[in-house]
Amino acid sequence: IKKKHPNVSRADLWALAACIAVEQMGGPKIPFRSGRVDATSGAQCGPDGRLPDAAQTQNHIRDVFVKRMGFTEAETVALIGAHTVGECHKDRSGYVGPWTHDKLGFDNSFYSHLLDEEWLVDTRYPQLQFTDRATKKLMMLPGDMAFILDPAFKKHVQRFAASDTSFHVEFAKAFQKLVEL
């Protein structure tokens, strides 16, 4: 695509691909606007640790999303809902496993699992992570657990667990804001 359309930035292509992927997995349609400029070196890509450290607590999450990036607490909780897809890989993050049983479907099951499952420390791995008591197939990161330990975050987790539509609407707005930062 880049060869055929050299004036389109790679950054726009990646952002558009992300928006389309969310929709194709059953998530919301995310409005897309072009205009990103490609960095010419790694030094232009910002500081290390742009995203929260998964081993940290709600204070760190707020420092990154609310204070540094300008998201509300509701937007922060909506964005973490992206953990409904995919899984962690030991060779990339040190963590292992999926958050949900359908790692290719975009729905509110991350929130339902977070609230409804009993989470145990998973002693199979050296880094602190949690596994569900029922199947021992799901995982949660320490940073994920912070969303139910903090009352201000938890009320949004509960709201999104109760309504897939509410999650989709708010995720679309928050994700658009994220890719336009």
Side-chain angles (χ1 to χ4, degrees):
I1 294 172
K2 180 70 175 162
K3 285 181 184 177
K4 189 173 180 179
H5 304 281
N7 293 331
V8 175
S9 70
R10 285 181 175 81
D12 272 347
L13 290 173
W14 279 108
L16 179 59
C19 292
I20 292 170
V22 167
E23 187 177 358
Q24 290 299 306
M25 290 185 286
K29 181 169 180 58
I30 300 165
F32 175 80
R33 291 187 283 232
S34 61
R36 291 158 196 80
V37 177
D38 290 332
T40 57
S41 76
Q44 295 175 304
C45 293
D48 288 337
R50 288 173 288 172
L51 294 177
D53 178 347
Q56 299 296 317
T57 66
Q58 58 270 30
N59 293 334
H60 174 71
I61 293 166
R62 273 194 188 87
D63 285 344
V64 173
F65 278 106
V66 177
K67 292 179 183 172
R68 188 172 67 206
M69 297 173 80
F71 287 98
T72 65
E73 289 180 345
E75 290 169 330
T76 301
V77 176
L79 288 171
I80 199 66
H83 281 182
T84 198
V85 297
E87 65 183 298
C88 290
H89 300 273
K90 187 176 176 98
D91 62 328
R92 295 186 186 107
S93 66
Y95 297 103
V96 180
W99 290 273
T100 65
H101 293 291
D102 179 7
K103 61 186 178 180
L104 299 178
F106 197 95
D107 61 21
N108 65 341
S109 62
F110 168 78
Y111 304 110
S112 299
H113 289 309
L114 191 56
L115 290 171
D116 298 341
E117 302 296 334
E118 182 180 352
W119 296 100
L120 308 170
V121 172
D122 195 333
T123 57
R124 296 174 292 181
Y125 306 105
Q127 282 189 257
L128 177 62
Q129 73 177 60
F130 300 86
T131 189
D132 67 305
R133 180 185 288 279
T135 69
K136 296 200 176 16
K137 293 180 181 178
L138 303 179
M139 64 86 65
M140 288 289 168
L141 304 166
D144 297 325
M145 299 304 286
F147 286 96
I148 57 171
L149 297 174
D150 183 286
F153 283 145
K154 187 175 181 178
K155 69 181 181 184
H156 299 294
V157 170
Q158 292 167 323
R159 191 163 52 84
F160 295 147
S163 173
D164 193 50
T165 301
S166 179
F167 165 52
H168 279 199
V169 167
E170 293 194 43
F171 180 86
K173 291 176 187 173
F175 193 75
Q176 180 183 13
K177 182 176 175 179
L178 179 69
V179 298
E180 291 180 357
L181 282 178

